[in-house]
Amino acid sequence: MSRPGSSLDGKGVNQNGDPGGHLSVRTESHTAAAAGPETRLLFTFKTDSQARKVQLTGREYYSEEGKTFELRLTGKIKQQLTSDPTLRPEYPSPLGLTEFTQRATEVTLGKSCRAVMENRVLGVQTPGFTAAVRLGAELLRHWHDASVAWYGPVYLSSPCDDSLRGIFQAAGIQDIHEYYYWDDKQRAVCLEKLLEDLERAPERSVVVLSASAHYPTGADLTQKQWALVIQLILRRRLFPLFVLPTQALCYGDLERDAWPVQYCASQGMELLCAQSFSHCFGLYGEAVGHLLCVLRQSSLLLSLRYQADTIVRSLWARPSVGGAHVVATVLSNPAHLVEWQAEVKRIVERCMLIREILRERLRLLGTPGCWDHLTQQGGLYCCAGLNGQQVDFLSKSRHVYLLPSGCLNVSAINGHNLDYIAESIHLALTTSL
């Protein structure tokens, strides 16, 4: 199988996608040594005494002040829910808050989706994105045949979210492969090699696909490219599992970010889609996840619901409803929805502006190479196109921390550090290493 030159192989992020936690320095040092690159980089950053150090590997959205960001509307809705006398502290269903799963399904597939009207869709609330992927992996074990366990293969993009491999392995699926996605030389998605790898995948292989704002590169397929990929999946009888960890933060619209999922469903295909609403609502502490399941036949829905209920009871019993209430309240109220969309649009526009300014700064510095790929990518994440030596130079000589693949979180760049980051990238490409 063809592979790009760089790949990520770490594990160790929690349900919110946040590396690390509140550990003692001694414990944290031991944990970092045994964990993946994100955790190791976070530890190195924390112990770096340089005043101008910059951490660009986080997964949250950071404001211009460099802090994790809660939307104003989210805070307002939380206060309203706290003072609502009709809400009682009751256990939710293992499958989650019904209003939340209904709204999450509608904004992903669209209200007029044929699968929804034919009652072939199941939505399950989960405690975060990671939990949605885990539940999907568990359901896949007996998706085609209840009497025979399925163990793979699963195909992940290279590079991809470090935690995905470990999630499938924890579900007992060990046969995991990679398909070519990001090409370092072209600084773009290489569709030709991607299709070649999937063409060789055995029937009933599960292909994990990023619907938008691919992590960690930020590079997505065009709609024409998606049509080719989905045609191949149909012809080769593969199974798509979409991931949407930062839904709405690519285009500023929940439905537009989910277009590949809608297109797949419109072709009558079965699919799974693991989602997170934590990023787009600033609900990092609540970990609001959702697993969307689309079936071929409505007669299979009751059995799937039973399987999901059984698996959830053994993994986390019930999800918390605080964050789900916030999301459902916003998505159910047209006025709230307009206000929320305006806030999300500002986030998306800020990230794009950062990309444009960084590209211009590198051009003015005379930095070697073309940097148009910075603005051709979308969402929170970006692949700068730097090699391992250049990334190493940035961390050791300039105290600027990126992932080993050269990928970074765009929102962590702000008016205070942008010039320094641009100068550092310029030096990484022009200094003899």
Side-chain angles (χ1 to χ4, degrees):
M1 182 187 75
S2 55
R3 292 189 182 185
S6 60
S7 63
L8 306 177
D9 59 0
K11 306 181 185 72
V13 293
N14 64 18
Q15 291 175 1
N16 297 322
D18 309 333
H22 300 289
L23 305 173
S24 68
V25 173
R26 186 174 179 180
T27 304
E28 197 171 34
S29 177
H30 176 76
T31 302
E38 288 182 56
T39 304
R40 291 196 298 270
L41 284 167
L42 180 62
F43 173 74
T44 305
F45 174 77
K46 285 183 176 180
T47 55
D48 190 334
S49 60
Q50 288 292 322
R52 298 203 72 175
K53 64 181 181 179
V54 183
Q55 170 69 299
L56 300 177
T57 65
R59 299 204 188 192
E60 305 94 338
Y61 171 75
Y62 298 97
S63 68
E64 183 65 19
E65 292 72 38
K67 299 178 180 179
T68 52
F69 188 69
E70 179 181 85
L71 275 68
R72 288 189 293 273
L73 178 61
T74 296
K76 185 167 66 176
I77 297 299
K78 282 183 178 180
Q79 290 181 341
Q80 291 176 358
L81 292 173
T82 301
S83 58
D84 187 345
T86 65
L87 290 179
R88 294 287 184 267
E90 300 173 347
Y91 279 124
S93 158
L95 301 186
L97 191 68
T98 301
E99 187 179 9
F100 165 75
T101 58
Q102 288 177 343
R103 299 304 178 190
T105 298
E106 286 176 1
V107 298
T108 303
L109 292 177
K111 293 181 180 180
S112 60
C113 175
R114 184 174 176 180
V116 173
M117 294 188 290
E118 293 178 352
N119 197 31
R120 295 188 283 111
V121 180
L122 174 67
V124 181
Q125 182 192 341
T126 64
F129 169 73
T130 298
V133 178
R134 176 62 186 273
L135 177 58
E138 296 284 352
L139 288 174
L140 285 170
R141 293 285 305 281
H142 298 282
W143 189 271
H144 294 289
D145 190 338
S147 62
V148 179
W150 174 86
Y151 295 102
V154 171
Y155 282 78
L156 306 175
S157 68
S158 181
C160 70
D161 184 333
D162 297 339
S163 65
L164 291 177
R165 181 181 294 269
I167 296 170
F168 282 101
Q169 290 173 338
I173 301 169
Q174 305 298 325
D175 189 4
I176 301 173
H177 303 265
E178 293 178 340
Y179 63 87
Y180 204 107
Y181 190 82
W182 172 261
D183 189 287
D184 285 325
K185 293 181 180 179
Q186 295 183 21
R187 295 184 175 182
V189 178
C190 185
L191 179 66
E192 182 180 352
K193 292 183 179 179
L194 185 159
L195 293 173
E196 286 177 1
D197 284 346
L198 295 188
E199 189 70 50
R200 288 191 284 267
E203 287 188 2
R204 293 191 176 181
S205 295
V206 169
V207 183
V208 179
L209 300 160
S210 172
S212 64
H214 178 268
Y215 179 83
T217 69
D220 293 325
L221 298 169
T222 65
Q223 291 191 0
K224 289 184 178 179
Q225 290 173 328
W226 270 117
L228 292 174
V229 171
I230 292 172
Q231 286 172 18
L232 186 150
I233 288 173
L234 268 169
R235 178 170 52 80
R236 296 285 302 129
R237 297 182 65 189
L238 308 179
F239 189 98
L241 192 164
F242 288 96
V243 291
L244 272 168
T246 59
Q247 189 169 352
L249 295 190
C250 185
Y251 297 107
D253 183 278
L254 286 165
E255 287 198 38
R256 188 176 175 191
D257 271 28
W259 181 88
V261 184
Q262 296 173 9
Y263 181 78
C264 231
S266 72
Q267 303 301 302
M269 299 170 65
E270 290 185 309
L271 64 89
L272 293 175
C273 179
Q275 307 164 265
S276 173
F277 292 86
S278 300
H279 283 79
C280 59
F281 282 85
L283 292 165
Y284 295 109
E286 283 81 352
V288 186
H290 184 250
L291 180 69
L292 184 66
C293 313
V294 179
L295 295 163
R296 286 187 186 275
Q297 302 172 9
S298 59
S299 60
L300 302 173
L301 189 64
L302 187 61
S303 173
L304 181 66
R305 181 183 295 274
Y306 174 77
Q307 289 180 54
D309 187 284
T310 302
I311 294 167
V312 165
R313 289 177 187 274
S314 68
L315 289 176
W316 54 79
R318 292 176 174 85
S320 59
V321 295
H325 269 302
V326 173
V327 176
T329 300
V330 172
L331 297 183
S332 302
N333 185 309
H336 287 333
L337 188 57
V338 170
E339 184 177 347
W340 172 81
Q341 287 174 330
E343 286 199 72
V344 171
K345 185 178 180 181
R346 285 194 290 270
I347 290 173
V348 172
E349 289 174 346
R350 174 177 172 263
C351 287
M352 185 52 68
L353 181 62
I354 291 169
R355 292 172 182 274
E356 292 172 354
I357 296 174
L358 179 60
R359 181 187 63 176
E360 182 64 10
R361 291 286 196 279
L362 293 172
R363 186 188 69 81
L364 292 173
L365 288 168
T367 308
C370 177
W371 296 92
D372 289 344
H373 62 282
L374 296 180
T375 54
Q376 291 166 355
Q377 301 162 8
L380 290 185
Y381 313 116
C382 164
C383 197
L386 304 176
N387 62 36
Q389 282 185 310
Q390 292 160 349
V391 171
D392 205 39
F393 171 87
L394 286 173
S395 60
K396 291 181 178 178
S397 300
R398 302 289 291 180
H399 308 275
V400 176
Y401 296 92
L402 283 69
L403 290 172
S405 58
C407 297
L408 56 91
N409 183 330
V410 175
S411 71
I413 302 175
N414 53 53
H416 304 290
N417 61 27
L418 191 146
D419 285 335
Y420 181 73
I421 291 168
E423 292 168 7
S424 299
I425 293 174
H426 176 76
L427 289 172
L429 271 78
T430 57
T431 303
S432 298
L433 303 178

